[in-house]
Amino acid sequence: MPLFRSKAEAKVREAGYDPARLPPGQYFTEKWPVLHAGAVPDVDVSTWTLRIWGDVENEVTLGYDELKALPATEVVADIHCVTRWSRFDAHFKGVHWRELATLCSPRPSAHFVIAHAEHGFTANSPLAAVEDEKALVVYEADGEPLTPEHGGPVRLVVPSKYFWKSAKWLNGLEISSIDKLGFWERYGYHNDADYWKEERYSF
Ligand SMILES: Nc1nc2c(c(=O)[nH]1)N[C@H]1C(S)=C(S)[C@@H](COP(=O)(O)O)O[C@H]1N2
Ligand SMILES: [Mo]
């Protein structure tokens, strides 16, 4: 086993976790690093909205209180950044796609979700990744309201993909029949972003 891997696995074991949870090329951290392009935006929850549009029967716009009034889901998930850090058992609370789908009624042709965020940031995922049990539109992490540096007031979390697909400062979900590359995907990150297959870059 390569030295990097055996050292990384030893750290996971010391922290009391199963090393099999660490995807290839990743190292374990107990901290929660902050990572994004640009400055942290100042988002006012009293005027914030989440707009859901595109390949849906009903376009929906939700305010922060309306989002929080929907049935909540809590998940515990591991997160994996393409810059190689992995954090285990992150606690997220928010709204699952099934609640939003009830409101917007995606058309049968809907196969992709393009998350829109402040500063024009976008991140694309197959609808299936957003339908995953552990994917959420998140407003709380580790029992506290999501902080601005981690994407508060509201971010997307898609734990089945490298963490760049989890758009911070979320303000829209565009439902689409065709895929549209997001910010990091256009920059050269792999569109599929499966960390078990080390799909980091498209070149
Ligand atoms: N709006 C926005 N969301 C973003 C990014 C970004 O640049 N802008 N970067 C992504 C990347 S690369 C990672 S690893 C995670 C980091 O989230 P964290 O800072 O809460 O750890 O946010 C993702 N979401
Ligand atoms: Mo990342």
Side-chain angles (χ1 to χ4, degrees):
M1 191 184 293
L3 187 58
F4 172 83
R5 182 68 195 181
S6 49
K7 282 191 168 168
E9 288 197 359
K11 244 191 113 185
V12 175
R13 222 176 274 107
E14 269 166 41
Y17 296 103
D18 179 357
R21 282 167 67 175
L22 192 70
Q26 297 293 111
Y27 69 86
F28 172 81
T29 178
E30 307 222 48
K31 296 184 219 103
W32 186 1
V34 171
L35 228 118
H36 53 261
V40 174
D42 190 5
V43 181
D44 180 354
V45 290
S46 67
T47 55
W48 175 89
T49 57
L50 177 68
R51 177 172 167 238
I52 307 172
W53 79 99
D55 209 9
V56 295
E57 297 299 339
N58 310 307
E59 202 176 297
V60 174
T61 301
L62 296 168
Y64 187 71
D65 293 339
E66 292 171 307
L67 182 76
K68 289 195 78 173
L70 293 174
T73 300
E74 292 187 49
V75 303
V76 179
D78 297 350
I79 55 184
H80 310 286
C81 174
V82 72
T83 64
R84 299 185 182 274
W85 57 265
S86 289
R87 180 172 181 242
F88 291 172
D89 287 349
H91 287 64
F92 297 112
K93 182 176 177 181
V95 176
H96 190 268
W97 171 250
R98 75 177 75 84
E99 307 300 338
L100 303 174
T102 302
L103 300 177
C104 72
S105 300
R107 299 201 180 107
S109 50
H111 293 301
F112 300 95
V113 176
I114 296 94
H116 289 250
E118 293 290 318
H119 306 315
F121 179 91
T122 61
N124 57 310
S125 290
L127 182 57
V130 174
E131 288 170 336
D132 180 280
E133 276 310 307
K134 291 200 171 189
L136 281 187
V137 171
V138 164
Y139 49 75
E140 266 182 43
D142 301 331
E144 302 287 340
L146 194 62
T147 60
E149 59 177 4
H150 286 301
V154 177
R155 78 178 296 166
L156 185 65
V157 169
V158 183
S160 66
K161 305 283 186 185
Y162 279 120
F163 208 35
W164 82 73
K165 300 262 185 195
S166 295
K168 294 155 70 157
W169 315 295
L170 185 71
N171 57 27
L173 294 172
E174 177 186 354
I175 312 308
S176 177
S177 59
I178 55 155
D179 202 6
K180 299 180 185 180
L181 295 186
F183 176 87
W184 291 111
E185 290 79 7
R186 284 195 300 272
Y187 179 83
Y189 286 11
H190 197 295
N191 197 31
D192 298 334
D194 180 338
Y195 39 77
W196 293 113
K197 297 185 192 159
E198 277 209 89
E199 292 171 337
R200 297 176 190 275
Y201 310 107
S202 57
F203 43 82

